[in-house]
Amino acid sequence: MTDIEHPETFHGLPVFTLPVPAEDGPDPAALPETGSVAWRLDCAWEGPAFPGLWQHFLDMVDPADVRALLIGPWWPEEYSSFAPVAELVASDADRFPALHALFLADVVGEECEVSWLEMSDITSLIEAFPRLEELVVRGGGDAVPEEEKLQLRPVRHLALKSLRFESGGLPGHVVRAVAASELPALERLELWFGATWYGGDATVEDMRPVLSGNAFPRLRHLGLQNSEIQDEIAAAAASAPVVAQLESLSLAMGTLGDTGALALLDGQPLTHLTSLDLHHHYLTDPVMSRIREMCAREGVHVDLDAADYWDPEDDEPRYVAVSE
């Protein structure tokens, strides 16, 4: 998983991984204060199955004070579906009145490739936490059976401010469900589209409600990234009404080339942005120079780190940062 690591902080809190149960058990006094950390649950390869770890978590901390929760690997041995995990966590949602942040599938490549994660329909889980302000979902791809792929239905959620999907192959129906959701508080949206080989079949048309600016009136950061159609996305963003309301824009991690970058330069002004993220790109030096000059002139911070292992002199295909 290129560009994917375990976060050290989440929702402004340091991440603390709950020790797995031992025969003598961890000393509750040795654990951090419940509301002072983001709790990460990880079954590990020698730990208990998730139901046992979940009960252990409920026994060791006061769930009423938990502010942020990360679900790491939920299998002790063989990969398994996320569906029972989602059902179990949702069933105890009323015990977590202070939970404002949730990270589904904090898993890195050494544990499971992103496209191999056996996800599920996460709609009920989102609906179970009406006070949720931040949601990160990792996973999505074609390397799993149909019933274990990531699913989402349009939702109405009044508190959610930040939503990020990290995927090596984000299905178009998930993008359409996001665009059709009622999220009046949403300020940050980030979508990693991935590769068609791994099920990333979203199109620019799937994003039209977002690009129109009508879907999420409070949106201030938009990330449409890690895409094989990054040039098309950039061209759409060049005239998209939503850009005028943004403070930051990311078209990073994908196959952005001169065509898309020139469309951005020739499109609507970007001078109101505080930052423009184009890292992992395939731009020539002259186009990069034009972007740097524009950003330097207007005080826009820009990230123009190029894609690794790509030589414009070679006839090699472009690749996204995160796929398998």
Side-chain angles (χ1 to χ4, degrees):
M1 292 185 192
T2 306
D3 279 4
I4 290 185
E5 299 177 350
H6 290 305
E8 296 182 0
T9 62
F10 180 53
H11 203 62
L13 299 169
V15 174
F16 178 82
T17 300
L18 181 74
V20 297
E23 288 187 6
D24 52 355
D27 178 6
L31 297 177
E33 184 179 345
T34 302
S36 68
V37 299
W39 292 88
R40 182 176 184 271
L41 306 185
D42 183 345
C43 286
W45 290 103
E46 297 180 354
F50 189 82
L53 181 61
W54 183 248
Q55 187 58 54
H56 172 62
F57 176 52
L58 296 179
D59 292 341
M60 297 303 297
V61 307
D62 182 357
D65 293 331
V66 174
R67 297 165 56 194
L69 177 64
L70 303 90
I71 307 296
W74 54 89
W75 58 90
E77 295 179 358
E78 299 296 326
Y79 301 148
S80 61
S81 173
F82 189 75
V85 176
E87 182 177 351
L88 182 58
V89 175
S91 69
D92 283 327
D94 60 347
R95 302 182 64 178
F96 292 83
L99 188 70
H100 288 162
L102 184 59
F103 194 136
L104 306 181
D106 175 23
V107 180
V108 298
E110 292 79 6
E111 298 159 335
C112 180
E113 297 293 351
V114 66
S115 61
W116 299 357
L117 289 169
E118 299 179 7
M119 299 303 290
S120 65
D121 191 324
I122 60 170
T123 311
S124 301
L125 187 53
I126 298 172
E127 294 172 335
F129 292 96
R131 298 181 184 88
L132 200 65
E133 295 179 356
E134 181 174 1
L135 175 65
V136 179
V137 182
R138 182 174 291 165
D142 245 7
V144 296
E146 193 68 32
E147 65 275 11
E148 293 168 354
K149 293 180 181 179
L150 179 65
Q151 303 284 335
L152 177 70
R153 301 186 306 276
V155 296
R156 181 176 185 266
H157 198 291
L158 303 183
L160 196 64
K161 295 180 179 179
S162 179
L163 176 62
R164 182 166 82 245
F165 282 88
E166 300 181 356
S167 178
L170 191 63
H173 63 78
V174 172
V175 176
R176 292 190 293 274
V178 170
S181 292
E182 185 179 347
L183 307 172
L186 195 68
E187 298 174 358
R188 298 182 60 87
L189 174 64
E190 195 171 307
L191 303 173
W192 297 13
F193 297 104
T196 54
W197 180 260
Y198 292 103
D201 59 358
T203 67
V204 170
E205 285 304 312
D206 295 331
M207 305 169 222
R208 288 295 179 196
V210 177
L211 294 170
S212 73
N214 296 324
F216 310 123
R218 294 191 182 180
L219 199 66
R220 295 297 177 263
H221 170 79
L222 178 60
L224 303 175
Q225 54 202 83
N226 196 50
S227 175
E228 292 180 328
I229 59 168
Q230 206 71 60
D231 279 343
E232 293 180 44
I233 293 172
S239 60
V242 71
V243 172
Q245 73 187 57
L246 301 178
E247 296 175 356
S248 54
L249 173 66
S250 176
L251 303 174
M253 301 172 62
T255 60
L256 182 68
D258 285 356
T259 300
L262 289 171
L264 276 180
L265 287 168
D266 295 337
Q268 63 184 305
L270 303 176
T271 54
H272 64 290
L273 297 177
T274 58
S275 66
L276 176 63
D277 188 356
L278 303 177
H279 84 269
H280 188 96
H281 62 75
Y282 298 83
L283 305 181
T284 60
D285 288 340
V287 174
M288 280 194 287
S289 294
R290 284 190 58 187
I291 294 174
R292 285 195 183 98
E293 290 171 4
M294 181 273 290
C295 291
R297 184 173 62 249
E298 303 297 339
V300 180
H301 178 269
V302 63
D303 188 339
L304 278 171
D305 287 346
D308 296 330
Y309 315 118
W310 183 76
D311 185 343
E313 301 299 324
D314 295 336
D315 190 23
E316 293 292 331
R318 302 175 187 177
Y319 58 92
V320 298
V322 176
S323 54
E324 185 178 29

